[in-house]
Amino acid sequence: MPKNTMQKITFILNNENIFADVKPNSTLLDFIRKKERLTGTKEVCKEGDCGACSVLIGELENGIVRYKNVTSCIYPIANAEGKHVVTIEGLNQNSLNKIQEFYVGENAAQCGFCTPGFIVSTAEYFLNNNERNVEKVYDSISGNICRCTGYGSIKRAAEKLVADVPEAPEDYGERLKFLIEKKIIPEYFLSIKDKLQNILQTKKIDADGAKGKTIVAGGTDLFVQRADEMLNEEGYFVKNFAKKFISEENGSVILSGATTFEDFFNSEIIKTAIPNIHKAFKLIASQAVRNSATLAGNIVNASPIGDMTIILLALNAKLILKGKREREIALKDFYLDYKKVDKANDEIIEKIIFEKPGRGFRFNFEKVSKRTHLDIASVNTAFAAFADDGIIRSATLSAGGIAPIPKVLEEATEFLSGKEINNALLNEVVEIANSVISPISDVRGSADYKRLLLGQLIKAHFIELFSDRLNVGEAI
Amino acid sequence: MSDKIVKSKFFFEEDFIETIGEVSSKEYKSLPPNKKLKYVGKPLNRKDAPVKASGKAKFTFDIELPHMVYARTLRSPHPNAIIKDIDTLHARQVPGVFAILHTFNMSAFNGGKIEWYGNSFLFDPHVRYVGDEIACVAAKDEETAERALKLIDVKYEILDYEIDAKKSMNSKLKIHPDGNVRRGKPFEYERGSVKDGFDEADEIIEDEFSTQVAVHNPTEPHCSVADWNKDKLTIYDSTQAVFRVRNMIADALDTPKDSVRIIKEYMGGGFGGKLEAGKYSVMAALLAKKLKRPVKILNDRREQNIALGNRPDSVQKLKIGVKTDGTITALNHYAYAAIGAYPSGGGCSWPLRTLYKCDNVRTEEYSVYTNAGRARAFRAPGNVQGTFGLESLLDEAAEKIGMDPLEFRVKNFVDFDQVGGKPYTSKMLIEAYKIGAKKIGWENRNKIPGGGKGYVKRGVGMASQIWWGGGGPPAHVRLELDSNGKIVAFAGSQDLGTGTYTFVAQVIGEILEIAPDNIDVVLGDTDRVPYGPSSGGSTTAPSISPAARDAAERMKEKLISNAAALWNVESENVGFENGTVFMKNDKSKKLSAKDIVAQLDDKKISALGSREANPDGYSVQTFGAQFAEVEVDTLTGNVRVLKVVAVHDVGRILNGKTLENQFHGGIIMGIGFALTEEQIRDEYTGKILNDNFHDYKVPTIKETPEIEVFILGEGDMKANNMGVKGIGEPAMIPTPAAIANAVYNAIGKRIKSLPITPDKIITALYDEA
């Protein structure tokens, strides 16, 4: 029989305070649909891959409630503690709201099953963008799958919305008022801040350690892999305790393990430190998943093709683990074997640190998957190099999908140091990389193909970063 | 009324079906072109958009009834096995479990034979694929039902299995007693003599093409809610076919058809996968009867992928004979497909038999049983696969004789149905080629395939399409006008999301000169709407819209004759304008529809309209051509579709907005089939390796290209009184073939198996061995 793992939880659902006893590892979606019977939020894939279950999560940060969209089907309800959860019903007004008006007018609802999810994700765009840019709307809805419309009418609804709604104030609080005035969100949003403050004041979080519990961060992989088992397990919900930060100290970039993908890519520190990182951003997950998924989660999950892990490996990142005591380990040494990491059960990745690169630094990330967007890589690879005068001073090449663990290709890395950039070098490094990998055949491709592909992607790195030093035609 | 009964034969999804039904024999004035009409053809908003955009629309998936019980299904983990024993003791002990059905406790239920599953049983003791139904648990909630499923102990005798069509054809292992080729033999067709045709040819080109298994994956999974009230069973079902489901459920339960009511108000997509009753619906009905409580049965995404239908794969060997002047002298098609463990269709030769002029044609198609999930109709079943093979081969032939692929197609244009011998009501393919070529920039394509500069190479390709899409009787619409002047249309149909609610109101509004907003439309309820066809085969609009017109015209006549009677004049003296009748010689004498009803004892007027018979001596088909421009990254193998131009002869446009969605949706689904969607079956276990959205990749908004859609003509007025043909399937058929031809034009290597994934591109370019 399952253990009794019920836990009290307090949050705001739309305009209503919720005090409930829940299984902390049950999903927010099940609570919304099955307990509250709010059926506008749909269940389609139950893996965070379609956005039909999208909701907004409002979180109080420095006196402001900031909203983001998440997929509620893989969102552990414990993570909703002290937050504002908004479903389609919480966006409805007396008549159609502005977003709905344009979706209706452009025929952007066909069968209609996915439509509430699209509306919620579109609302997220308006909450987090004061400037008008339709590409940003597409980013917000990039994790929403529609099987009927072909997206044409949805795109047009987005275009017309962006043309219709003027730029909003930059100040978040002022922006909320503006969005209420424009009929994008309902008026009660203004009262949420005080309500959340009250909840957070009365609530004392009891952090009695991770021992014996399942450590849950964003849950975006855990709830895909083993949601059923999780249901009756006790959870240690990192996000309820861990601080989120990205900072610079003594020439190093320091990230908390709880940093979400979205925070990582939006960070000015990261954008400045890693040129070209925006290119990777477009190839990794959907916005809704990036809003939940954490760096530590990606690292600990130990997938041989974890995108963020591959990026951090190329940056020679170190981890600070915290259990009974604190210790440091290089990320590349963290992986022991397939899905085995050097970590005790109660240890948590507190920080991720890499040296802030200086002059002459170049970075590139490549990934090939069956579907270009929102897919898992067949092979992914990152390349970080310091180069000047046509010479590679030092470099790190990482790759996933070519071994049981995500890997730094050390032989290739060492070989490159001090070499002149030219076609011969490229051919040699491809050959070296090929000699040290051991891909297997699976649903993402055959071993031979992955071998061939890694070579192609190393060429892509060089063409992206050093095309002026290569005969590109010959390189291909 | 001089209506009559006709037997009509038309192609419905996978087979020709014959139906008997009453048709309207009224003849109406030809409906003018859309630009002279007020509502038909106008891009009006969907009637159901507001409830959908606000999440208020109740789908079957959302239905909750008082005291409802939840059911889940135990499915076979083995591809082929005999069930020896089922022990449910531990499952029954779970608190909140109410009932468990399985093969050994079904004696109460009339044998439990399911005719449409090849007369196997509801829970067959022989499970034939990974996903076959073994047991069903009803419990207080889904979580409890799922927990109980895991505690059911099943003993199996595990058998060898076969998931590959070719191996299954020649295997000693019998999946069905009558052999593994369905009906014991291939479907064969021949006209003329292919031998003579190939003898005449200057060039003969032979090649082999294959397509993958694809899954419908509608957003709403298959689900039912069953509820008994005394001897009457109501099933809320996510279905494209309320009447067909009613009849099948009644047959399965051996109960009269009118004791079953099927309701479907909104559904989250179907694409052909929801055209019949599910075993799950029968289970829900049985459990609901046993427990005397409503039962909801859901299928999750995994079940959707493994057990609820797929587009079968195809292996196609094609051979074409051509003369150097471009004349096609012979065509030969040999194809086989894995249809799964239960009866279904896997043929794909129709386009080759009909699309281009050729006197000598032979086709041979095998539908092969395998130990896999059953194939179901999926958006233009057969034609998507067959068009990819045919149109790839045509491009190869054109290249061989040094002819432009478009010119080659024009050269082999034919204006009559070569199988049935009848002329087409309309076939505007030549016009489609002209417009499409201009819009895509056909003259700018690579003259030498693969000849573009740089490592990101562009290419342009095209393909043509044929699909029935003519609809037919029986299909009825009943109009009721009440004393408030309110019109309600009860249409024998259901809306998959394609826009049926909206176009029915537009047609009636047009004839009765009433704003469609003021017409309520009721669909998808077998007890409330008159009989009509299933929504499949792109037949809904061409079947229902003429019936809606007939109903509205009859309503108009009734208003006129009632007014004439009230005024004591002959009907000829009464006119109709803006929804109002008037005396022709004294226009000040007027009666609104409401005024007329108010003076009748019945306080309402009803009018039943019916679809007329299809025209004698003609073949009604849809045609079209699509042009695609693609970009292939030869470094990574990524293919990006930049633009698709679709030009089609699909009759009159009923609503520009719903039409646009249908086309974009079909094209995007075609892009999915061309590039990313593929069910992967593991030969070592018989299991599906990608039974979820994580690994089964449907296109996202980021994969959408620029799309331009052009509809030819003002309406196919020879086809029916509205000039309407279907569009749902034509929109998808040529897309994968056009993309494949564009990829060839880009890189100079032909990818002969779909989907065109990066590995195939890279391997073709760099790994010749």
Side-chain angles (χ1 to χ4, degrees), chain B residues 227-387:
Chain B
D227 188 20
W228 288 87
N229 185 358
K230 298 205 177 92
D231 289 330
K232 177 91 183 189
L233 168 65
T234 300
I235 293 184
Y236 302 85
D237 195 26
S238 181
T239 181
Q240 302 172 234
V242 287
F243 286 99
R244 188 158 183 239
V245 167
R246 177 194 69 180
N247 296 350
M248 293 169 102
I249 295 278
D251 286 346
L253 299 177
D254 197 21
T255 185
K257 309 247 187 310
D258 52 11
S259 70
V260 179
R261 176 182 183 187
I262 307 294
I263 300 176
K264 200 284 311 214
E265 191 174 12
Y266 300 112
M267 74 187 289
F271 313 112
K274 295 176 179 170
L275 279 165
E276 64 176 30
K279 279 189 173 179
Y280 54 89
S281 313
V282 181
M283 292 174 204
L286 291 173
L287 286 165
K289 184 151 205 178
K290 186 179 167 110
L291 298 170
K292 299 189 168 55
R293 290 169 71 170
V295 172
K296 182 178 198 172
I297 189 160
L298 297 178
N299 292 282
D300 62 18
R301 190 54 44 190
R302 175 172 180 267
E303 292 174 291
Q304 180 77 58
N305 275 273
I306 67 173
L308 294 164
N310 56 68
R311 183 190 298 279
D313 62 2
S314 75
V315 174
Q316 307 173 44
K317 294 177 185 180
L318 289 97
K319 190 171 166 186
I320 187 170
V322 283
K323 290 192 170 173
T324 46
D325 71 353
T327 309
I328 299 174
T329 61
L331 279 165
N332 196 64
H333 196 217
Y334 168 92
Y336 55 86
I339 59 168
Y342 297 99
S344 188
C348 63
S349 294
W350 185 259
L352 180 132
R353 289 201 286 271
T354 53
L355 196 48
Y356 298 106
K357 177 150 179 40
C358 182
D359 296 334
N360 307 302
V361 176
R362 194 182 131 70
T363 63
E364 186 176 333
E365 303 167 277
Y366 296 79
S367 293
V368 186
Y369 288 116
T370 53
N371 291 108
R374 177 164 167 246
R376 302 303 311 124
F378 184 178
R379 207 167 194 165
N383 278 34
V384 176
Q385 304 95 294
T387 300

Side-chain angles (χ1 to χ4, degrees), chain B residues 4 11 36 77 122 220 258 344 369 396 461 482 495 629 666:
Chain B
K4 58 183 179 185
F11 193 85
K36 295 197 173 159
L122 182 63
E220 183 190 33
D258 52 11
S344 188
Y369 288 116
E396 286 188 35
D482 70 13
D495 193 341
E629 183 177 16

